[in-house]
Amino acid sequence: MRRSVRNRLIPDACVTAIATIALLDGAPSAQQSSSWSPPENLGTVINSSSNEQHPVISPDGLSLYFSSDRAGGTGGFDLWVAHRTSATSPWQSPVALTALNSSSSEFAPAFDPSGQWLFFGSERDGGCGGRDLWLTYRKSRKDDTAWKPPINLGCGLSWPGFDDGPAYFREKGGLGVLFFISDRPGGLGGRDVWSISHRDGAFSAPVNVGQLNSPADDARPAVRSDGLEFFLTSQRAGSVPQGTAPSADLWVSTRSSTALGWSIPVNLAALNTSATESGPTLSSDGLTMIFGSNRPGGQGGLDLYVTTRTKID
Amino acid sequence: MRSNIPCLAFFLILCTVSPAAAQGRMSIGVGYQALEFGEASFPVGLNVDLGAGIASHIAIVGEFGWARASTQQFGLRDITTGLHLAGGGRWTIGQSRRVRPFGQLLVGLERDQTEIEKFGSDWASAFLFQPGGGVIVRVRGPQDLFGEVDLHRVFEDGDSANAVRLLLGLRFTLRQ
């Protein structure tokens, strides 16, 4: 139960500089940051010949959760976790989150800022049909075996189709927003980004975040902890082509205030290839991104890659 | 074990203050406490303390506190109960005055239970560090009113959290 307060002052004179950097980087950002570094494969400790995807870094930066269909799980895609002793230490071998996995598939874990709540998508029994959003809790932020049996977010929020890819942030004033991906009616086409919000009580009805969506599939978002930068996976026009079709790429959108709308997403050209880049996660300081890709040079299937940037004062 | 905690706490407080009590005045205080962590508030609470003077301005103090918070997390009812047991020293200025400021430093343990709808309950323990101070106002004879503000700092899971504690209550001096 602690609170971190960040104060960022951005004089008007710096806005132009920010916009310039953003154009080079692909998008404007309220946090002044350098360009992303060339992505590096997380190596054979994390990656296998199977698929590793949908990573999420815990708020303390010491646990890496991801979804994988590697051997040793419970069935289908399962949630796995790797630890490190410090932010600069190497990741240790992943272990399956047996408390959370089922004989069905589990995808796209996402923490709340406290590290005590975890959202994820699953096709397990007891849902509303298709893939649903599930929620679990633990008292200890350090114990990955302490997760309680997950509960479904409810059929008032989920629908019989596809609901997955959660990403959560909480404003300073206490309003919490859960972004997720759904193919429910009312979107712009395919899978879209939707959001539900709450202030201690129950979640609101889902709202399509039209500014972020396209007629193509838009998937697995990540939102910076201050709610001002949004990353998503999309195969929209402008993605790097893979043959004759657009590949899945990483895109970024920003806003200068959580009360304002999002900018038109911009392709993160420096990170994308003609292969798939998907399912990004940001560290709590917004300076490290881990995402999945099946680009050449990996271990097989989708692998996890890491890229970093530095804050510009 | 849970039901024995208040009894154990009272026994430990007595053991802490009894040796010092042989040397001077003893006091017992009862008060309402509220804790504010910033992102979590515990508006309901009770605190009991025992003090034993070891010098004219200094007393050894033991206290036991209980606090409760009821909120909602993602639409689920969340009730958290905190128990703390601490000991240390209190320095009071101007024993003969009607209004007497004091400073206090306590260390101890906190144990809290969180009960969340559909998820059940869990306990966790933390080390407690609590500096603070306040004012004592003599009401009548051995009866005093006191108000106190403390930094209630807990260390758990390698992290720490700060709360401000407000305490208002009555204290009775048991003269010897």
Side-chain angles (χ1 to χ4, degrees):
Chain A
M1 291 186 286
R2 60 195 178 282
R3 184 179 188 177
S4 67
V5 178
R6 294 180 179 174
N7 293 310
R8 289 196 175 86
L9 301 178
I10 307 177
D12 290 343
C14 295
V15 171
T16 303
I18 295 170
T20 303
I21 294 170
L23 282 174
L24 295 173
D25 220 11
S29 171
Q31 175 178 299
Q32 303 177 60
S33 305
S34 69
S35 298
W36 291 103
S37 65
E40 294 182 13
N41 190 289
L42 281 182
T44 55
V45 172
I46 296 295
N47 294 314
S48 70
S49 57
S50 300
N51 292 293
E52 284 76 35
Q53 61 187 37
H54 300 167
V56 67
I57 305 172
S58 62
D60 66 4
L62 301 182
S63 294
L64 176 66
Y65 284 47
F66 59 92
S67 178
S68 177
D69 58 352
R70 62 178 60 192
T74 310
F77 278 82
D78 286 326
L79 298 181
W80 293 72
V81 60
H83 297 116
R84 59 185 177 182
T85 55
S86 74
T88 55
S89 301
W91 294 107
Q92 298 162 8
S93 294
V95 295
L97 283 162
T98 54
L100 301 180
N101 295 325
S102 70
S103 56
S104 298
S105 288
E106 282 75 37
F107 300 97
F111 284 97
D112 87 315
S114 75
Q116 291 181 294
W117 297 86
L118 188 76
F119 298 91
F120 62 94
S122 178
E123 298 158 351
R124 62 181 61 194
D125 293 337
C128 307
R131 191 179 301 177
D132 288 349
L133 293 170
W134 294 76
L135 176 65
T136 181
Y137 168 82
R138 62 179 177 181
K139 176 72 172 172
S140 169
R141 297 178 182 88
K142 306 285 186 183
D143 188 355
D144 294 311
T145 66
W147 294 108
K148 299 289 189 180
I151 63 170
N152 190 283
L153 279 189
C155 298
L157 296 177
S158 297
W159 87 300
F162 182 94
D163 298 292
D164 194 4
Y168 181 86
F169 92 99
R170 188 184 291 268
E171 295 182 5
K172 289 180 181 178
L175 181 71
V177 181
L178 180 69
F179 295 96
F180 65 99
I181 301 300
S182 180
D183 62 356
R184 64 186 61 205
L188 297 187
R191 296 173 179 175
D192 277 359
V193 179
W194 293 73
S195 72
I196 50 179
S197 61
H198 75 108
R199 193 185 296 273
D200 296 327
F203 280 110
S204 65
V207 174
N208 186 278
V209 190
Q211 300 143 349
L212 299 173
N213 293 320
S214 71
D217 279 343
D218 305 295
R220 182 48 172 159
V223 55
R224 202 171 72 200
S225 58
D226 59 8
L228 301 182
E229 195 173 23
F230 193 97
F231 296 84
L232 72 156
T233 305
S234 182
Q235 293 178 269
R236 64 184 64 192
S239 293
V240 179
Q242 186 177 45
T244 57
S247 66
D249 277 357
L250 300 176
W251 294 72
V252 63
S253 172
T254 61
R255 57 185 177 181
S256 56
S257 162
T258 56
L260 300 177
W262 293 100
S263 67
I264 296 173
V266 176
N267 189 284
L268 279 170
L271 302 180
N272 293 319
T273 68
S274 59
T276 292
E277 282 76 32
S278 66
T281 183
L282 273 184
S283 58
S284 56
D285 62 6
L287 300 179
T288 299
M289 183 197 300
I290 300 178
F291 62 92
S293 178
N294 59 359
R295 60 184 64 187
Q299 311 302 319
L302 285 166
D303 277 2
L304 297 183
Y305 287 77
V306 61
T307 176
T308 60
R309 61 184 176 181
T310 56
K311 196 166 63 170
I312 299 174
D313 292 324
Chain B
M1 173 64 185
R2 212 177 298 167
S3 62
N4 288 333
I5 287 176
C7 299
L8 177 65
F10 188 68
F11 176 73
L12 287 174
I13 291 172
L14 280 181
C15 290
T16 302
V17 305
S18 290
Q23 302 189 28
R25 298 175 179 174
M26 277 195 69
S27 68
I28 179 168
V30 179
Y32 161 81
Q33 72 167 21
L35 290 168
E36 176 59 54
F37 277 91
E39 287 187 347
S41 299
F42 289 74
V44 177
L46 183 69
N47 192 81
V48 176
D49 68 79
L50 291 178
I54 58 173
S56 60
H57 299 289
I58 302 173
I60 289 181
V61 174
E63 74 170 37
F64 172 75
W66 168 88
R68 170 161 286 196
S70 179
T71 59
Q72 283 214 338
Q73 302 270 14
F74 307 114
L76 304 171
R77 187 183 64 249
D78 174 356
I79 298 175
T80 301
T81 304
L83 303 173
H84 80 266
L85 178 65
R90 180 189 297 143
W91 295 263
T92 305
I93 299 173
Q95 286 289 2
S96 60
R97 299 183 203 161
R98 182 168 179 266
V99 178
R100 310 184 296 283
F102 69 93
Q104 186 170 284
L105 179 62
L106 304 181
V107 296
L109 291 173
E110 179 160 292
R111 190 156 168 82
D112 69 87
Q113 177 196 28
T114 299
E115 188 167 350
I116 299 180
E117 184 181 351
K118 298 185 182 179
F119 284 112
S121 63
D122 267 313
W123 287 84
S125 298
F127 174 75
L128 169 65
F129 176 74
Q130 187 175 277
V135 172
I136 303 168
V137 179
R138 183 170 297 126
V139 177
R140 179 178 60 188
Q143 299 171 9
D144 298 323
L145 280 172
F146 72 95
E148 184 177 322
V149 178
D150 303 299
L151 171 66
H152 187 90
R153 185 173 175 85
V154 293
F155 299 84
E156 179 186 346
D157 269 351
D159 293 328
S160 61
N162 291 326
V164 174
R165 183 178 81 152
L166 299 177
L167 183 57
L168 295 171
L170 287 172
R171 187 164 289 135
F172 303 90
T173 300
L174 309 174
R175 296 181 187 277
Q176 291 195 331

